[in-house]
Amino acid sequence: MTAILHIVGAGLSGLATAVAASQTGHKVRLYEAAGHAGGRCRSFHDPVLDRVIDNGAHLVLGVNRNALAFATAIGGIQAMDALPAHIAFAHLRQGWRRTVTPRHMPVSLAEALRACRPWIGQSVTVAEHLGHRQGFADFWQPLCLAILNTAPQHASAQLFARVLRTILLAGKDGLRGYAFPHGLSAALIDPALALLRRNGGEIHFHHRLTAISQSKLTFTPNDIPLTAADRVVLALPAWVAADFVPQQIQLPTETIANVHYRLASAPDIPSPLGLLGGVGQWLFVRDDVASVTISAAIAAPDPVALWAEIAPLLGQEPPIPPHRVVWEKRATLSHRPHVLNHRPGTLSGLEGVFLAGDWLASPWPCTIESAISSGLMAARAALGRDDLRFS
Ligand SMILES: Cc1cc2nc3c(=O)[nH]c(=O)nc-3n(C[C@H](O)[C@H](O)[C@H](O)COP(=O)(O)OP(=O)(O)OC[C@H]3O[C@@H](n4cnc5c(N)ncnc54)[C@H](O)[C@@H]3O)c2cc1C
């Protein structure tokens, strides 16, 4: 009987596992609780805006090698736009605009070197490390929220420094953003599903895993028997995987809120635009839809107050246009020093069962890059093929 790789969870980590394995000719079955793939990275048609929107605006960077390799392998890269290798910021209260590159940072060289340095104590937070520096409020704080989705008072300074070093050492293209002009699903999800189907993979939606044993996977609605040669990858979010994996504790998470506005016309404005001095932190524009992101949001966003912040930048007049709030309550792990010690590796502790997911041990915080990298590593471990690549 042919061995099957069973993958539970059709978010990016599960899709990456499935794509990598199916490219070798291995038989793959993907199970997903929802009626659609993509998990925390997906598009949908919103009836209020009458537009396809993403659950939250996402950005991939040039330094995210596995994410770009995956997008290239599935053909989704054609639905992504390479942006200029800089980040534009606008200060909402002081009115200035600024463009930041690795060579042109709004802080002193000494401060930048301090932020990136490798020798930072494991338990140190970003606020402890950089809070007393001049550039904290207008640079390090928003950057920390953008990169780690965790307030500087809680976020790991070690992880923050590691990500900054990786971006800066990647050369001029490291900071180049890749946007999704047709939505996340058009670039990262739909082409992956199409490739899997072409490779003979099976995709089963509305299959929620409820139990796992040596001989079967129990789903609502039915059991799937396992042979001794079969392998299983659990590509589940941390809070779900903890129910199935021995000794995995529940880890704290952070939210991300997005408010999407349908504008009267498409504005001419750089996107993304970092917002300083207000409640919203990033403004993304796609045609006539403007989306404001609030990382690590602790309260439901107020669409009226956010509109008042961004309307002048967009050159739009009151009243507030049609809008939609998407508040992802568990968007990423909370990247606190003690939490990082509990990010596990690919081995689950159960025979023949492997883990994938953005929350696994990684040089990256929970991101598209960590999710896709974890999927590739899970495929390698499950098939015993260290040579697997996205091709
Ligand atoms: C609003 C928002 C903005 C973000 N912005 C960025 C960004 O700009 N850049 C970036 O790199 N990253 C960003 N991220 C993070 C990125 O989206 C995630 O890291 C990534 O999508 C996680 O993929 P995953 O496969 O690990 O997990 P998930 O996407 O959570 O996939 C897990 C899948 O398992 C399914 N599932 C759950 N329980 C079961 C069960 N019992 N049985 C079967 N299936 C089950 C779920 O439905 C889901 O489809 C953002 C996330 C959010 C929410």
Side-chain angles (χ1 to χ4, degrees):
M1 197 184 283
T2 320
I4 299 173
L5 181 61
H6 303 269
I7 301 155
V8 187
L12 280 172
S13 60
L15 289 170
T17 311
V19 165
S22 77
Q23 292 288 67
T24 68
H26 204 92
K27 204 164 184 299
V28 162
R29 281 192 198 156
L30 183 59
Y31 309 91
E32 164 60 47
H36 53 80
R40 281 169 280 156
C41 178
R42 67 187 188 287
S43 314
F44 59 94
H45 179 265
D46 181 72
V48 175
L49 305 189
D50 192 22
R51 290 287 182 272
V52 171
I53 58 171
D54 295 332
N55 62 316
H58 281 59
L59 202 64
V60 165
L61 294 179
V63 69
N64 295 153
R65 308 255 183 257
N66 280 325
L68 293 176
F70 172 78
T72 305
I74 62 175
I77 196 89
Q78 285 152 16
M80 292 166 66
D81 263 356
L83 304 172
H86 63 238
I87 304 176
F89 285 95
H91 202 294
L92 297 172
R93 275 186 279 111
Q94 296 169 12
W96 51 255
R97 290 208 190 183
R98 186 173 281 164
T99 298
V100 172
T101 70
R103 280 168 176 262
H104 296 99
M105 291 213 234
V107 291
S108 68
L109 181 63
E111 205 168 306
L113 289 174
R114 180 181 173 81
C116 305
R117 75 182 188 197
W119 57 91
I120 300 173
Q122 213 196 353
S123 62
V124 176
T125 66
V126 171
E128 286 165 351
H129 189 56
L130 296 168
H132 52 295
R133 300 284 151 165
Q134 210 181 355
F136 181 71
D138 279 347
F139 190 61
W140 301 121
Q141 175 159 291
L143 207 59
C144 173
L145 282 166
I147 292 177
L148 299 187
N149 191 34
T150 305
Q153 291 72 13
H154 305 300
S156 159
Q158 237 183 34
L159 181 59
F160 186 57
R162 194 191 302 145
V163 174
L164 291 177
R165 282 199 304 278
T166 310
I167 293 172
L168 293 175
L169 293 175
K172 70 176 173 48
D173 286 335
L175 196 61
R176 184 180 303 288
Y178 286 79
F180 299 88
H182 311 290
L184 293 164
S185 293
L188 297 177
I189 311 303
D190 299 342
L193 293 174
L195 180 72
L196 283 178
R197 290 191 175 108
R198 284 201 300 281
N199 287 347
E202 290 177 26
I203 303 159
H204 301 274
F205 292 115
H206 303 293
H207 273 60
R208 180 175 297 280
L209 185 73
T210 56
I212 180 165
S213 73
Q214 286 286 71
S215 62
K216 66 178 179 190
L217 296 172
T218 304
F219 289 97
T220 312
N222 57 310
D223 290 354
I224 303 287
L226 297 174
T227 70
D230 286 353
R231 296 288 176 266
V232 176
V233 171
L234 299 180
L236 298 166
W239 50 94
V240 180
D243 289 343
F244 299 108
V245 178
Q247 289 168 2
Q248 181 58 48
I249 59 167
Q250 286 288 351
L251 300 174
T253 55
E254 303 280 356
T255 77
I256 301 181
N258 274 260
V259 185
H260 306 273
Y261 299 91
R262 169 133 176 225
L263 308 175
S265 57
D268 184 16
I269 188 170
S271 173
L273 183 63
L275 306 176
L276 301 173
V279 176
Q281 291 142 4
W282 292 93
L283 174 62
F284 287 76
V285 173
R286 192 158 85 208
D287 301 325
D288 60 356
V289 176
S291 306
V292 184
T293 302
I294 308 175
S295 299
I298 48 176
D302 176 353
V304 178
L306 285 173
W307 177 249
E309 282 186 354
I310 62 162
L313 291 172
L314 296 166
Q316 306 273 321
E317 303 290 334
I320 181 170
H323 55 276
R324 164 75 188 246
V325 176
V326 184
W327 191 14
E328 292 274 10
K329 297 284 175 33
R330 292 194 280 201
T332 67
L333 289 185
S334 187
H335 297 102
R336 299 171 186 233
H338 74 276
V339 172
L340 303 183
N341 297 333
H342 293 287
R343 292 176 84 179
T346 305
L347 301 181
S348 72
L350 302 169
E351 206 181 320
V353 180
F354 302 85
L355 297 177
D358 62 349
W359 56 285
L360 297 196
S362 166
W364 291 95
C366 295
T367 47
I368 291 174
E369 177 69 7
S370 67
I372 289 175
S373 303
S374 77
L376 180 60
M377 285 193 284
R380 284 178 182 165
L383 305 190
R385 292 270 310 263
D386 283 349
D387 59 327
L388 279 195
R389 302 263 177 283
F390 295 118
S391 55

